[in-house]
Amino acid sequence: MALTSCSLLRLQPGTTGSIQRIEGMNPILRRRLADLGVSEGVMIRLKGKGPFMGPITLECNGQLFAIRRKEASMIEVKVS
Amino acid sequence: MSSIALVGNPNTGKTSLFNTLTSSYEYVGNWAGVTVEKKIGSLKNGAGKLIDLPGIYSLHPLSRDEGVAAQYLIEETPEALINIVDASQLERNLLLTLQLLEYGKPTILGLNMTDVAKARGIQVNPDILSEQLGIPVLPLIARTGKGTGQVLSVLEQPSHIPPVTFQLNYGELAEEAIASIVTHLQKISGLPNLRWVALQLLEQNPVILELLEKRTDISGLLLIADTAQTRLQRDKLALTLPQWIRSVRMDYIRKVCAEAIDSTLQKPHNLTERLDSILTHRFLGLPLFILFMYAMFKTTFDWIGGPLSDLLDGFIGGQLSDWTNSLLGAIGASEFTHALIVDGLIGGVGGVLVFVPQIFILFLMISFLEDSGYMARVCLLMDSTMERMGLNGKAFIPFIIGFGCNVPAIMAARSIEQPKDRMLTTLLMPLMSCSARLPVYLLFAAVFFPAQQAAAVLSMYVMGVVFALVLCKFFSKYLFKNEASIFIIELPPYRMPQLKTLSRSTWEKGKGFLRKAGTIILAGSVLIWLMSYAGPGGLNVDMDHSFLAKFGGFIAPLLQPLGFGTWQAGSTLVPGFLAKEVVVSTMNIIYHAPDTAGLEGQIASVFTPLSSISFMAFILLYIPCLATVGVIKKETASWKWTFFSMGYSLVLAYAVSLVIYQGGRLLGWS
């Protein structure tokens, strides 16, 4: 199966990808994500996108949370 | 007396457990960051003190409330710890657990929310978990109190909790660094577990670094850390030492979870998912939120709260006054006493008490929002708007709490990660219309806009929010360095709030209002009444010649351009700074109104619809009350910002009322 790597934002809502790289992110946010178990190699699911280009909802390890699109675009995922 | 600390991730039920284990009651809610300050209570069985700490993900603090928890563990020495973990989120929760085990104090693991986990098809085996971690594990459902009896009985003898023997091997390189740091630390007295301090140092925990800096020269220790990090990089094990430590812990946790958890039957959050697909829908989400807010106000003012308040008003103004009158007549009270009790006390305090039903219903609905999990979604919905204004969506939780009372709302801002966002939220909070301002709107809306009461009152709240957003943009542009704001919010699963929790938290919020009625409003009423009863000409003067009239007359000319330049309106504003409720008490006394109906008649003759809007806007904006000023000073730790918050609101109130009144007159309204 071909593996492609793209920004998390490109995922279709409801689909899952595995995190490849997180780059250029604000260190505080980076730590907070790590606290929630978001790091390289972990599976992450895009749940939905908020109104007016607002934050997107993600699920990781069964925990739901939301971050802004700009930051989400810094998370690169691999979809099979 | 021994002290035992409750530690755990945010929103795992620490405070619920605290409330069942102690006889006190603290604020609970369904979002991360409810507890922002440590709370101390006495255990029910008298075995010692229990300390509820703000939720943390790790001992490395990012926000101010987390700093409180980290600081506590480092500076104080609890005899034992209770680590609460969410059974449905065990992997993430155990990261903190490992750090607590390294701390070395006797620890009990409270495996909470076993019901939630079970409903999602996650089975956690407490025995295996206990065996793997080497500490007692007690399954719990803190919300309902199930399993808490067992915790209490274990705590009866804190010294019987077995000591922790847990030690994780961080690999040759890191272990070498730990060992040499520990040798250095041995020279310093009064530190907690040295291996733990060494590990926190390697993780660059700012609280630990600061503590060590005070006691010793840490450059040598930092050099050890640097060397270890370079060697890790050379061996291509990890980029940084903190990352390495974290990954070793995660590997271990995955191993533990693989043994202790059976998640083969795991189901998605069905209810939460279905609700979220509507409530956070990209088009429907915001209109639904506005609809809910409108329904909330409609219930408070029209559907339920209004009629109840009318009943109470009928009682206070009718029967109660009559009884008091005949009682005072029967015992032959002097005219002074008679006037003090009927006009001062019943008029002043009673005039505020009639709004109790409405305020309690508003609190009930705020409690429902808090406990259901919807609050976090509102932040999500509002973030893009807030971001454009230079703030982040997380500030919305404090703002909604601010509709109840500004004081706890400013405390709640502590969970916001960035100092700039926190400061902005604190400064703008006084614009959130708290329940104390509500009686003023209710009174005026009933007189001038009887058909659209809910809409009139709601528009005051909206006005406050709109000004907060506009000023936020302005302040963040001109007053603060441009610091990028970040936003991340956990979305807890929705749950149906329990009746017990709801009534408890409504009462806790409303209690403050009643207490104020018995203290500051009572005192204010007596004082105002005395000032209206006495004048330069002696006692029982005509009110127009009383001290109150003289005093209000000083301010009145200033208020003339705003449409309410009477001494009566002027004299309500200064006592209103002590507590906004006193504005209505003062009016009751001044206008000698036996009940709300009488007061309404008086007001209709003094104010016009236009000047009433101007007055309501002025009351909404003019100054944070004394208690709010106190908490702003405490949280900002700066007199400059405290005076700024008072100054800008006064200027804003004057400008807005002026525009409303003069603009309205130009348009030909009256």
Side-chain angles (χ1 to χ4, degrees), chain A residues 26 28-29 31-35 47 49 51-52 55 57 61-66 68, chain B residues 57-58 60 66 89 92 246 269 273 282 286 380 383 392 417 485-486 488-491:
Chain A
N26 176 312
I28 296 182
L29 187 65
R31 267 204 64 101
R32 187 59 94 211
L33 284 174
D35 286 338
K47 304 286 288 186
K49 297 181 176 176
F52 304 122
T57 312
N61 304 320
Q63 164 77 46
L64 287 167
F65 59 94
R68 287 179 180 157
Chain B
Y57 291 107
S58 73
H60 189 139
E66 293 176 332
Q89 296 283 347
R92 158 165 75 83
R246 182 181 280 268
H269 305 269
E273 238 157 73
R282 49 197 308 197
L286 269 179
L380 167 70
D383 182 63
N392 85 51
E417 283 91 356
S485 97
I486 57 161
I488 175 165
I489 191 155
E490 300 97 275
L491 303 170

mmCIF file of all heavy atoms in Angstrom, chain A residues 26 28-29 31-35 47 49 51-52 55 57 61-66 68, chain B residues 57-58 60 66 89 92 246 269 273 282 286 380 383 392 417 485-486 488-491:
data_model
loop_
_atom_site.group_PDB
_atom_site.id
_atom_site.type_symbol
_atom_site.label_atom_id
_atom_site.label_comp_id
_atom_site.label_asym_id
_atom_site.label_seq_id
_atom_site.Cartn_x
_atom_site.Cartn_y
_atom_site.Cartn_z
ATOM 1 N N ASN A 26 4.712 26.459 18.348
ATOM 2 C CA ASN A 26 4.932 27.166 19.604
ATOM 3 C C ASN A 26 5.259 26.148 20.711
ATOM 4 O O ASN A 26 4.539 25.179 20.900
ATOM 5 C CB ASN A 26 3.640 27.935 19.930
ATOM 6 C CG ASN A 26 3.702 28.645 21.259
ATOM 7 O OD1 ASN A 26 4.093 28.060 22.264
ATOM 8 N ND2 ASN A 26 3.301 29.894 21.265
ATOM 9 N N ILE A 28 5.026 26.059 23.923
ATOM 10 C CA ILE A 28 4.024 25.814 24.976
ATOM 11 C C ILE A 28 2.958 24.862 24.448
ATOM 12 O O ILE A 28 2.579 23.888 25.093
ATOM 13 C CB ILE A 28 3.365 27.128 25.437
ATOM 14 C CG1 ILE A 28 4.405 28.038 26.079
ATOM 15 C CG2 ILE A 28 2.239 26.848 26.425
ATOM 16 C CD1 ILE A 28 3.851 29.336 26.603
ATOM 17 N N LEU A 29 2.516 25.139 23.236
ATOM 18 C CA LEU A 29 1.486 24.290 22.644
ATOM 19 C C LEU A 29 2.029 22.884 22.426
ATOM 20 O O LEU A 29 1.345 21.886 22.668
ATOM 21 C CB LEU A 29 1.034 24.898 21.316
ATOM 22 C CG LEU A 29 -0.143 24.196 20.679
ATOM 23 C CD1 LEU A 29 -1.375 24.353 21.550
ATOM 24 C CD2 LEU A 29 -0.417 24.753 19.303
ATOM 25 N N ARG A 31 4.245 21.327 24.123
ATOM 26 C CA ARG A 31 4.270 20.595 25.391
ATOM 27 C C ARG A 31 2.883 20.150 25.802
ATOM 28 O O ARG A 31 2.677 19.054 26.300
ATOM 29 C CB ARG A 31 4.844 21.494 26.495
ATOM 30 C CG ARG A 31 6.319 21.335 26.699
ATOM 31 C CD ARG A 31 6.655 21.769 28.117
ATOM 32 N NE ARG A 31 6.013 20.900 29.075
ATOM 33 C CZ ARG A 31 6.631 19.919 29.712
ATOM 34 N NH1 ARG A 31 7.906 19.719 29.511
ATOM 35 N NH2 ARG A 31 5.991 19.157 30.562
ATOM 36 N N ARG A 32 1.924 21.059 25.615
ATOM 37 C CA ARG A 32 0.556 20.739 26.000
ATOM 38 C C ARG A 32 0.053 19.549 25.180
ATOM 39 O O ARG A 32 -0.597 18.651 25.716
ATOM 40 C CB ARG A 32 -0.326 21.977 25.773
ATOM 41 C CG ARG A 32 -1.711 21.835 26.268
ATOM 42 C CD ARG A 32 -1.797 21.549 27.734
ATOM 43 N NE ARG A 32 -1.962 22.722 28.559
ATOM 44 C CZ ARG A 32 -1.486 22.830 29.791
ATOM 45 N NH1 ARG A 32 -0.817 21.838 30.321
ATOM 46 N NH2 ARG A 32 -1.681 23.904 30.491
ATOM 47 N N LEU A 33 0.394 19.536 23.892
ATOM 48 C CA LEU A 33 -0.008 18.406 23.055
ATOM 49 C C LEU A 33 0.656 17.129 23.556
ATOM 50 O O LEU A 33 0.024 16.074 23.638
ATOM 51 C CB LEU A 33 0.368 18.665 21.591
ATOM 52 C CG LEU A 33 -0.532 19.642 20.834
ATOM 53 C CD1 LEU A 33 0.028 19.927 19.458
ATOM 54 C CD2 LEU A 33 -1.950 19.073 20.707
ATOM 55 N N ALA A 34 1.927 17.260 23.905
ATOM 56 C CA ALA A 34 2.628 16.088 24.419
ATOM 57 C C ALA A 34 1.960 15.586 25.698
ATOM 58 O O ALA A 34 1.834 14.383 25.919
ATOM 59 C CB ALA A 34 4.091 16.429 24.674
ATOM 60 N N ASP A 35 1.493 16.512 26.544
ATOM 61 C CA ASP A 35 0.768 16.136 27.764
ATOM 62 C C ASP A 35 -0.452 15.299 27.430
ATOM 63 O O ASP A 35 -0.864 14.427 28.188
ATOM 64 C CB ASP A 35 0.291 17.382 28.518
ATOM 65 C CG ASP A 35 1.416 18.105 29.232
ATOM 66 O OD1 ASP A 35 2.446 17.455 29.496
ATOM 67 O OD2 ASP A 35 1.273 19.299 29.506
ATOM 68 N N LYS A 47 -11.729 15.071 13.632
ATOM 69 C CA LYS A 47 -13.155 14.866 13.872
ATOM 70 C C LYS A 47 -14.017 15.875 13.130
ATOM 71 O O LYS A 47 -15.069 15.545 12.609
ATOM 72 C CB LYS A 47 -13.483 14.982 15.363
ATOM 73 C CG LYS A 47 -12.702 14.074 16.244
ATOM 74 C CD LYS A 47 -13.144 12.664 16.147
ATOM 75 C CE LYS A 47 -14.490 12.456 16.820
ATOM 76 N NZ LYS A 47 -14.843 11.045 16.830
ATOM 77 N N LYS A 49 -14.332 20.358 11.668
ATOM 78 C CA LYS A 49 -13.767 21.700 11.571
ATOM 79 C C LYS A 49 -14.788 22.714 12.075
ATOM 80 O O LYS A 49 -15.961 22.611 11.778
ATOM 81 C CB LYS A 49 -13.395 21.989 10.121
ATOM 82 C CG LYS A 49 -12.323 21.041 9.600
ATOM 83 C CD LYS A 49 -11.933 21.352 8.177
ATOM 84 C CE LYS A 49 -10.782 20.434 7.749
ATOM 85 N NZ LYS A 49 -10.409 20.612 6.349
ATOM 86 N N PRO A 51 -16.534 26.597 12.942
ATOM 87 C CA PRO A 51 -17.066 27.648 12.082
ATOM 88 C C PRO A 51 -16.058 28.775 11.841
ATOM 89 O O PRO A 51 -15.144 28.965 12.641
ATOM 90 C CB PRO A 51 -18.268 28.167 12.869
ATOM 91 C CG PRO A 51 -17.972 27.845 14.288
ATOM 92 C CD PRO A 51 -17.150 26.602 14.277
ATOM 93 N N PHE A 52 -16.241 29.517 10.788
ATOM 94 C CA PHE A 52 -15.413 30.688 10.436
ATOM 95 C C PHE A 52 -13.923 30.389 10.497
ATOM 96 O O PHE A 52 -13.172 31.099 11.150
ATOM 97 C CB PHE A 52 -15.703 31.860 11.386
ATOM 98 C CG PHE A 52 -17.134 32.256 11.432
ATOM 99 C CD1 PHE A 52 -17.836 32.254 12.635
ATOM 100 C CD2 PHE A 52 -17.813 32.612 10.274
ATOM 101 C CE1 PHE A 52 -19.165 32.615 12.680
ATOM 102 C CE2 PHE A 52 -19.146 32.984 10.326
ATOM 103 C CZ PHE A 52 -19.821 32.985 11.520
ATOM 104 N N PRO A 55 -11.136 26.566 15.079
ATOM 105 C CA PRO A 55 -10.310 25.413 15.421
ATOM 106 C C PRO A 55 -10.879 24.093 14.888
ATOM 107 O O PRO A 55 -12.061 24.011 14.569
ATOM 108 C CB PRO A 55 -10.347 25.402 16.946
ATOM 109 C CG PRO A 55 -10.867 26.698 17.363
ATOM 110 C CD PRO A 55 -11.699 27.217 16.250
ATOM 111 N N THR A 57 -11.357 19.905 15.575
ATOM 112 C CA THR A 57 -11.453 18.949 16.664
ATOM 113 C C THR A 57 -10.667 17.692 16.292
ATOM 114 O O THR A 57 -10.815 17.186 15.180
ATOM 115 C CB THR A 57 -12.919 18.584 16.918
ATOM 116 O OG1 THR A 57 -13.666 19.781 16.976
ATOM 117 C CG2 THR A 57 -13.081 17.834 18.202
ATOM 118 N N ASN A 61 -5.763 8.965 21.291
ATOM 119 C CA ASN A 61 -5.867 8.095 22.475
ATOM 120 C C ASN A 61 -7.214 8.232 23.174
ATOM 121 O O ASN A 61 -7.287 8.216 24.392
ATOM 122 C CB ASN A 61 -4.797 8.424 23.516
ATOM 123 C CG ASN A 61 -3.400 8.346 22.950
ATOM 124 O OD1 ASN A 61 -3.099 7.454 22.175
ATOM 125 N ND2 ASN A 61 -2.570 9.307 23.314
ATOM 126 N N GLY A 62 -8.276 8.428 22.409
ATOM 127 C CA GLY A 62 -9.591 8.507 23.031
ATOM 128 C C GLY A 62 -9.901 9.843 23.662
ATOM 129 O O GLY A 62 -10.964 10.033 24.229
ATOM 130 N N GLN A 63 -8.969 10.788 23.602
ATOM 131 C CA GLN A 63 -9.213 12.117 24.171
ATOM 132 C C GLN A 63 -9.556 13.084 23.042
ATOM 133 O O GLN A 63 -8.873 13.132 22.030
ATOM 134 C CB GLN A 63 -7.937 12.571 24.901
ATOM 135 C CG GLN A 63 -7.864 14.045 25.222
ATOM 136 C CD GLN A 63 -8.713 14.422 26.410
ATOM 137 O OE1 GLN A 63 -8.698 13.768 27.439
ATOM 138 N NE2 GLN A 63 -9.486 15.481 26.257
ATOM 139 N N LEU A 64 -10.625 13.836 23.226
ATOM 140 C CA LEU A 64 -10.996 14.856 22.240
ATOM 141 C C LEU A 64 -10.414 16.196 22.652
ATOM 142 O O LEU A 64 -10.448 16.553 23.819
ATOM 143 C CB LEU A 64 -12.521 15.006 22.208
ATOM 144 C CG LEU A 64 -13.340 13.909 21.562
ATOM 145 C CD1 LEU A 64 -14.800 14.101 21.908
ATOM 146 C CD2 LEU A 64 -13.145 13.929 20.060
ATOM 147 N N PHE A 65 -9.892 16.940 21.687
ATOM 148 C CA PHE A 65 -9.426 18.286 21.978
ATOM 149 C C PHE A 65 -9.456 19.096 20.695
ATOM 150 O O PHE A 65 -9.668 18.551 19.615
ATOM 151 C CB PHE A 65 -8.011 18.264 22.578
ATOM 152 C CG PHE A 65 -6.981 17.622 21.689
ATOM 153 C CD1 PHE A 65 -6.214 18.380 20.835
ATOM 154 C CD2 PHE A 65 -6.813 16.249 21.694
ATOM 155 C CE1 PHE A 65 -5.275 17.789 19.998
ATOM 156 C CE2 PHE A 65 -5.889 15.647 20.860
ATOM 157 C CZ PHE A 65 -5.118 16.414 20.006
ATOM 158 N N ALA A 66 -9.268 20.403 20.814
ATOM 159 C CA ALA A 66 -9.313 21.259 19.639
ATOM 160 C C ALA A 66 -8.104 22.164 19.605
ATOM 161 O O ALA A 66 -7.648 22.637 20.653
ATOM 162 C CB ALA A 66 -10.589 22.088 19.658
ATOM 163 N N ARG A 68 -6.095 25.274 16.794
ATOM 164 C CA ARG A 68 -6.365 26.106 15.618
ATOM 165 C C ARG A 68 -5.788 25.486 14.350
ATOM 166 O O ARG A 68 -4.855 24.702 14.401
ATOM 167 C CB ARG A 68 -5.746 27.497 15.831
ATOM 168 C CG ARG A 68 -6.509 28.295 16.823
ATOM 169 C CD ARG A 68 -5.864 29.640 17.041
ATOM 170 N NE ARG A 68 -6.639 30.399 18.020
ATOM 171 C CZ ARG A 68 -6.145 31.394 18.744
ATOM 172 N NH1 ARG A 68 -4.886 31.754 18.584
ATOM 173 N NH2 ARG A 68 -6.916 32.034 19.591
ATOM 174 N N TYR B 57 -0.902 17.891 34.159
ATOM 175 C CA TYR B 57 -0.574 16.765 33.291
ATOM 176 C C TYR B 57 0.799 16.217 33.635
ATOM 177 O O TYR B 57 1.100 15.053 33.452
ATOM 178 C CB TYR B 57 -0.568 17.197 31.833
ATOM 179 C CG TYR B 57 -1.929 17.534 31.307
ATOM 180 C CD1 TYR B 57 -2.295 18.849 31.071
ATOM 181 C CD2 TYR B 57 -2.846 16.527 31.058
ATOM 182 C CE1 TYR B 57 -3.542 19.152 30.586
ATOM 183 C CE2 TYR B 57 -4.096 16.822 30.572
ATOM 184 C CZ TYR B 57 -4.447 18.145 30.333
ATOM 185 O OH TYR B 57 -5.680 18.444 29.869
ATOM 186 N N SER B 58 1.673 17.130 34.072
ATOM 187 C CA SER B 58 2.992 16.692 34.505
ATOM 188 C C SER B 58 3.428 17.706 35.547
ATOM 189 O O SER B 58 2.728 18.680 35.800
ATOM 190 C CB SER B 58 3.961 16.668 33.327
ATOM 191 O OG SER B 58 4.306 17.986 32.965
ATOM 192 N N HIS B 60 5.700 19.690 35.295
ATOM 193 C CA HIS B 60 6.290 20.834 34.607
ATOM 194 C C HIS B 60 5.171 21.817 34.269
ATOM 195 O O HIS B 60 4.392 21.574 33.368
ATOM 196 C CB HIS B 60 6.950 20.301 33.335
ATOM 197 C CG HIS B 60 7.781 21.310 32.626
ATOM 198 N ND1 HIS B 60 8.990 21.009 32.079
ATOM 199 C CD2 HIS B 60 7.571 22.607 32.345
ATOM 200 C CE1 HIS B 60 9.502 22.080 31.504
ATOM 201 N NE2 HIS B 60 8.660 23.062 31.648
ATOM 202 N N GLU B 66 -1.267 25.412 37.313
ATOM 203 C CA GLU B 66 -0.394 24.241 37.395
ATOM 204 C C GLU B 66 0.821 24.522 38.258
ATOM 205 O O GLU B 66 1.317 23.636 38.956
ATOM 206 C CB GLU B 66 0.060 23.833 35.996
ATOM 207 C CG GLU B 66 -1.077 23.329 35.145
ATOM 208 C CD GLU B 66 -0.628 23.012 33.728
ATOM 209 O OE1 GLU B 66 0.332 23.630 33.247
ATOM 210 O OE2 GLU B 66 -1.237 22.145 33.116
ATOM 211 N N GLN B 89 -8.920 7.049 30.408
ATOM 212 C CA GLN B 89 -7.791 7.758 29.782
ATOM 213 C C GLN B 89 -6.496 7.373 30.481
ATOM 214 O O GLN B 89 -5.667 8.233 30.768
ATOM 215 C CB GLN B 89 -7.968 9.277 29.947
ATOM 216 C CG GLN B 89 -9.146 9.867 29.279
ATOM 217 C CD GLN B 89 -8.895 9.991 27.800
ATOM 218 O OE1 GLN B 89 -7.765 9.851 27.341
ATOM 219 N NE2 GLN B 89 -9.934 10.222 27.030
ATOM 220 N N ARG B 92 -2.626 8.380 29.276
ATOM 221 C CA ARG B 92 -2.211 9.761 29.470
ATOM 222 C C ARG B 92 -2.049 10.085 30.961
ATOM 223 O O ARG B 92 -1.117 10.774 31.358
ATOM 224 C CB ARG B 92 -3.265 10.671 28.850
ATOM 225 C CG ARG B 92 -3.290 12.060 29.384
ATOM 226 C CD ARG B 92 -4.084 12.958 28.489
ATOM 227 N NE ARG B 92 -5.528 12.797 28.577
ATOM 228 C CZ ARG B 92 -6.275 13.383 29.513
ATOM 229 N NH1 ARG B 92 -5.715 14.102 30.443
ATOM 230 N NH2 ARG B 92 -7.569 13.222 29.508
ATOM 231 N N ARG B 246 10.732 11.319 28.640
ATOM 232 C CA ARG B 246 9.325 11.103 28.353
ATOM 233 C C ARG B 246 9.096 9.798 27.574
ATOM 234 O O ARG B 246 8.182 9.039 27.876
ATOM 235 C CB ARG B 246 8.787 12.283 27.548
ATOM 236 C CG ARG B 246 7.322 12.203 27.235
ATOM 237 C CD ARG B 246 6.907 13.399 26.415
ATOM 238 N NE ARG B 246 6.710 14.580 27.254
ATOM 239 C CZ ARG B 246 5.530 14.898 27.778
ATOM 240 N NH1 ARG B 246 4.479 14.144 27.565
ATOM 241 N NH2 ARG B 246 5.402 15.965 28.517
ATOM 242 N N HIS B 269 -17.031 7.328 21.644
ATOM 243 C CA HIS B 269 -17.929 8.127 22.498
ATOM 244 C C HIS B 269 -19.197 8.381 21.696
ATOM 245 O O HIS B 269 -19.305 9.402 21.025
ATOM 246 C CB HIS B 269 -17.359 9.517 22.781
ATOM 247 C CG HIS B 269 -16.012 9.574 23.374
ATOM 248 N ND1 HIS B 269 -15.810 9.603 24.723
ATOM 249 C CD2 HIS B 269 -14.787 9.645 22.813
ATOM 250 C CE1 HIS B 269 -14.514 9.709 24.964
ATOM 251 N NE2 HIS B 269 -13.880 9.732 23.826
ATOM 252 N N GLU B 273 -20.157 12.013 20.460
ATOM 253 C CA GLU B 273 -19.966 12.239 19.040
ATOM 254 C C GLU B 273 -21.221 12.780 18.367
ATOM 255 O O GLU B 273 -21.167 13.710 17.576
ATOM 256 C CB GLU B 273 -19.550 10.939 18.370
ATOM 257 C CG GLU B 273 -18.236 11.086 17.667
ATOM 258 C CD GLU B 273 -17.536 9.771 17.486
ATOM 259 O OE1 GLU B 273 -17.985 8.991 16.639
ATOM 260 O OE2 GLU B 273 -16.552 9.526 18.208
ATOM 261 N N ARG B 282 -20.250 23.307 11.940
ATOM 262 C CA ARG B 282 -19.634 24.550 11.458
ATOM 263 C C ARG B 282 -20.635 25.648 11.151
ATOM 264 O O ARG B 282 -20.305 26.818 11.230
ATOM 265 C CB ARG B 282 -18.702 24.296 10.274
ATOM 266 C CG ARG B 282 -19.290 23.465 9.188
ATOM 267 C CD ARG B 282 -18.207 22.925 8.289
ATOM 268 N NE ARG B 282 -17.310 23.985 7.807
ATOM 269 C CZ ARG B 282 -16.516 23.826 6.772
ATOM 270 N NH1 ARG B 282 -16.493 22.679 6.137
ATOM 271 N NH2 ARG B 282 -15.737 24.809 6.378
ATOM 272 N N LEU B 286 -22.861 27.967 16.213
ATOM 273 C CA LEU B 286 -23.011 29.298 16.807
ATOM 274 C C LEU B 286 -24.465 29.724 16.967
ATOM 275 O O LEU B 286 -24.855 30.177 18.042
ATOM 276 C CB LEU B 286 -22.249 30.330 15.976
ATOM 277 C CG LEU B 286 -20.810 30.566 16.403
ATOM 278 C CD1 LEU B 286 -20.151 31.590 15.496
ATOM 279 C CD2 LEU B 286 -20.762 31.043 17.851
ATOM 280 N N LEU B 380 -14.608 26.558 21.902
ATOM 281 C CA LEU B 380 -14.234 26.146 20.553
ATOM 282 C C LEU B 380 -14.971 26.988 19.516
ATOM 283 O O LEU B 380 -14.389 27.479 18.554
ATOM 284 C CB LEU B 380 -14.579 24.655 20.416
ATOM 285 C CG LEU B 380 -14.583 24.019 19.049
ATOM 286 C CD1 LEU B 380 -13.160 23.922 18.564
ATOM 287 C CD2 LEU B 380 -15.186 22.627 19.122
ATOM 288 N N ASP B 383 -13.641 30.641 19.464
ATOM 289 C CA ASP B 383 -12.210 30.928 19.317
ATOM 290 C C ASP B 383 -11.882 31.803 18.124
ATOM 291 O O ASP B 383 -11.079 32.723 18.240
ATOM 292 C CB ASP B 383 -11.385 29.648 19.256
ATOM 293 C CG ASP B 383 -9.909 29.964 19.142
ATOM 294 O OD1 ASP B 383 -9.385 30.572 20.083
ATOM 295 O OD2 ASP B 383 -9.300 29.655 18.114
ATOM 296 N N ASN B 392 -7.963 34.432 23.181
ATOM 297 C CA ASN B 392 -8.289 33.098 22.694
ATOM 298 C C ASN B 392 -9.567 32.575 23.315
ATOM 299 O O ASN B 392 -10.051 33.072 24.322
ATOM 300 C CB ASN B 392 -7.086 32.150 22.820
ATOM 301 C CG ASN B 392 -6.945 31.514 24.158
ATOM 302 O OD1 ASN B 392 -7.898 30.943 24.674
ATOM 303 N ND2 ASN B 392 -5.773 31.632 24.744
ATOM 304 N N GLU B 417 -3.111 29.688 29.461
ATOM 305 C CA GLU B 417 -1.658 29.470 29.470
ATOM 306 C C GLU B 417 -0.839 30.751 29.368
ATOM 307 O O GLU B 417 0.168 30.893 30.037
ATOM 308 C CB GLU B 417 -1.239 28.537 28.334
ATOM 309 C CG GLU B 417 -1.529 27.066 28.583
ATOM 310 C CD GLU B 417 -2.884 26.653 28.063
ATOM 311 O OE1 GLU B 417 -3.631 27.541 27.582
ATOM 312 O OE2 GLU B 417 -3.207 25.458 28.136
ATOM 313 N N SER B 485 -0.996 34.364 20.346
ATOM 314 C CA SER B 485 -1.825 33.640 21.299
ATOM 315 C C SER B 485 -2.002 32.211 20.802
ATOM 316 O O SER B 485 -2.026 31.955 19.616
ATOM 317 C CB SER B 485 -3.160 34.350 21.495
ATOM 318 O OG SER B 485 -4.162 33.792 20.695
ATOM 319 N N ILE B 486 -2.055 31.285 21.754
ATOM 320 C CA ILE B 486 -2.254 29.898 21.348
ATOM 321 C C ILE B 486 -3.576 29.418 21.896
ATOM 322 O O ILE B 486 -4.129 30.006 22.814
ATOM 323 C CB ILE B 486 -1.133 28.966 21.854
ATOM 324 C CG1 ILE B 486 -1.022 29.052 23.372
ATOM 325 C CG2 ILE B 486 0.175 29.295 21.190
ATOM 326 C CD1 ILE B 486 -0.312 27.895 23.976
ATOM 327 N N ILE B 488 -5.591 25.727 22.868
ATOM 328 C CA ILE B 488 -5.825 24.291 22.877
ATOM 329 C C ILE B 488 -6.805 24.027 23.993
ATOM 330 O O ILE B 488 -6.685 24.574 25.085
ATOM 331 C CB ILE B 488 -4.528 23.480 23.046
ATOM 332 C CG1 ILE B 488 -4.868 21.996 23.177
ATOM 333 C CG2 ILE B 488 -3.706 23.958 24.236
ATOM 334 C CD1 ILE B 488 -3.701 21.077 22.987
ATOM 335 N N ILE B 489 -7.805 23.240 23.705
ATOM 336 C CA ILE B 489 -8.775 22.951 24.758
ATOM 337 C C ILE B 489 -9.181 21.493 24.681
ATOM 338 O O ILE B 489 -9.397 20.959 23.597
ATOM 339 C CB ILE B 489 -9.986 23.902 24.681
ATOM 340 C CG1 ILE B 489 -10.823 23.762 25.941
ATOM 341 C CG2 ILE B 489 -10.823 23.677 23.432
ATOM 342 C CD1 ILE B 489 -11.632 24.974 26.255
ATOM 343 N N GLU B 490 -9.226 20.851 25.835
ATOM 344 C CA GLU B 490 -9.694 19.477 25.872
ATOM 345 C C GLU B 490 -11.213 19.494 25.864
ATOM 346 O O GLU B 490 -11.822 20.339 26.504
ATOM 347 C CB GLU B 490 -9.242 18.759 27.137
ATOM 348 C CG GLU B 490 -7.765 18.679 27.325
ATOM 349 C CD GLU B 490 -7.268 19.775 28.239
ATOM 350 O OE1 GLU B 490 -7.012 20.897 27.754
ATOM 351 O OE2 GLU B 490 -7.145 19.513 29.437
ATOM 352 N N LEU B 491 -11.809 18.549 25.135
ATOM 353 C CA LEU B 491 -13.263 18.473 25.092
ATOM 354 C C LEU B 491 -13.696 17.242 25.874
ATOM 355 O O LEU B 491 -13.596 16.133 25.384
ATOM 356 C CB LEU B 491 -13.722 18.376 23.633
ATOM 357 C CG LEU B 491 -13.255 19.530 22.752
ATOM 358 C CD1 LEU B 491 -13.542 19.252 21.297
ATOM 359 C CD2 LEU B 491 -13.907 20.830 23.179
#
